[in-house]
Amino acid sequence: MSKSELSRRAKGDRFPGWPRRWPIHLLLCLACMLVGIPLLYAMLVSTQSNAEVIAFQITPGSSLGQNIWVAMVSRNLGRYMLNSTIQAAIVTVGKTILSLLAGLAFVYFRFPGKWLVFSFVLVTLMMPTELLTISLFRIVAGGFQWGDSLYALTVPFLASATGAFLFRQHFANLPAELSEAAQLDGAGPLIFLWRILLPLSWNAIGALAVIQFVYVWNMYLWPVLIIRSDRLQVVQMGLSSIQSAGDTGTAYGPLMAGAILASLPPLLVFILLQKQFMSGFQISREK
């Protein structure tokens, strides 16, 4: 046995010419296939009629245009997507601003009971949203009389324990000299936030924006409870209505076409903020 062969076997390279980590690459390819096959099948079904779906046709069908028309025009999915976009944009921007202010207060302000308030924020962070749904419904619909309005879709979700915790941790890891230098220059808290903290926080802002936009876009239970009129329904309710668009049962083609179209706005937001999103998680890992 040659010396090079012994060296190759000592390194575990039993298949010369193959990547050294080929088992990991093979496992990753299989994982990608498992994740991607349902999506590819959904795209295939979106082009087919019900008869082609039931016949389990594995080639693209001829009903793509009709399925898109049923979803976007007949079932008004375009209007629902616009409503969800407005809702998600308002909640994302409002929640980011309030979370920045909360993080600023928790790190740079001194007030009685600060740790008690922060502990309360951590407790709410561990509580599922569904647990608060009934009390939230009574406050919003009964107390404020905001039922069936854009206020009901956005205002209850402007405050975020996750965002406050994220920015509190981010600001706490910044050098304290920044705050001292800003105070010596006569900068107030909001100027310090705008000119110093904000430029250092774009990665955290991008990560929070992506998470919150996707969360609001996929919201289903709350809109079902609080919205009655069709003009304010959101995209998840629109997809639910498409399910019964067929004359003889579930309309698979329009449903899959609508689901794929409805996934494009969150995907676009992720692509636009991908760099900030990944860098934000990298910062969290380094901390």
Side-chain angles (χ1 to χ4, degrees), residues 4-286:
S4 60
E5 181 70 16
L6 290 174
S7 176
R8 193 168 56 244
R9 289 197 174 189
K11 294 178 180 178
D13 189 7
R14 298 182 179 180
F15 301 92
W18 287 39
R20 182 178 298 178
R21 297 180 177 178
W22 67 267
I24 298 176
H25 293 171
L26 179 61
L27 186 62
L28 291 175
C29 290
L30 292 175
C32 290
M33 289 179 62
L34 288 175
V35 173
I37 284 176
L39 177 61
L40 292 176
Y41 185 67
M43 295 174 67
L44 184 66
V45 171
S46 69
T47 66
Q48 298 176 344
S49 63
N50 262 12
E52 292 169 334
V53 174
I54 294 173
F56 204 69
Q57 177 178 318
I58 58 173
T59 56
S62 56
S63 303
L64 176 61
Q66 182 181 356
N67 292 338
I68 293 177
W69 185 88
V70 171
M72 298 297 290
V73 180
S74 177
R75 291 294 170 171
N76 212 12
L77 185 64
R79 176 63 188 178
Y80 301 148
M81 290 177 65
L82 178 61
N83 291 340
S84 283
T85 302
I86 295 172
Q87 178 199 12
I90 292 175
V91 172
T92 301
V93 173
K95 186 174 288 188
T96 302
I97 293 173
L98 292 180
S99 299
L100 279 167
L101 294 175
L104 178 72
F106 281 130
V107 176
Y108 297 104
F109 283 32
R110 294 180 180 177
F111 55 89
K114 183 169 76 171
W115 286 105
L116 183 63
V117 175
F118 185 65
S119 301
F120 181 74
V121 171
L122 292 181
V123 170
T124 60
L125 184 65
M126 301 171 190
M127 296 173 66
T129 306
E130 290 74 12
L131 194 66
L132 308 173
T133 300
I134 295 178
S135 57
L136 194 61
F137 179 81
R138 289 181 175 176
I139 294 173
V140 173
F144 291 102
Q145 299 292 320
W146 283 350
D148 200 25
S149 69
L150 186 60
Y151 294 117
L153 286 175
T154 55
V155 174
F157 302 98
L158 292 181
S160 169
T162 305
F165 178 75
L166 175 67
F167 285 112
R168 188 266 178 197
Q169 296 301 106
H170 176 61
F171 292 158
N173 284 277
L174 295 178
E177 290 79 7
L178 292 175
S179 174
E180 297 170 359
Q183 289 178 359
L184 291 176
D185 289 340
L190 293 181
I191 294 178
F192 174 59
L193 174 65
W194 179 257
R195 294 185 177 177
I196 306 298
L197 295 181
L198 199 60
L200 297 174
S201 306
W202 285 119
N203 293 335
I205 292 173
L208 180 66
V210 171
I211 293 172
Q212 295 303 326
F213 190 93
V214 174
Y215 169 74
V216 177
W217 187 267
N218 291 329
M219 196 178 288
Y220 178 78
L221 178 60
W222 180 249
V224 169
L225 293 175
I226 204 69
I227 298 300
R228 294 288 179 269
S229 60
D230 184 68
R231 64 182 178 85
L232 287 174
Q233 290 295 353
V234 295
V235 65
Q236 302 302 329
M237 289 300 299
L239 291 176
S240 179
S241 69
I242 294 174
Q243 190 174 4
S244 59
D247 297 331
T248 58
T250 303
Y252 297 104
L255 181 60
M256 289 298 105
I260 291 172
L261 290 172
S263 66
L264 294 181
L267 178 63
L268 180 62
V269 170
F270 176 77
I271 291 174
L272 292 176
L273 298 175
Q274 182 182 12
K275 181 179 178 182
Q276 289 79 10
F277 181 77
M278 301 304 294
S279 299
F281 278 100
Q282 186 177 4
I283 288 174
S284 301
R285 189 169 62 246
E286 289 174 352

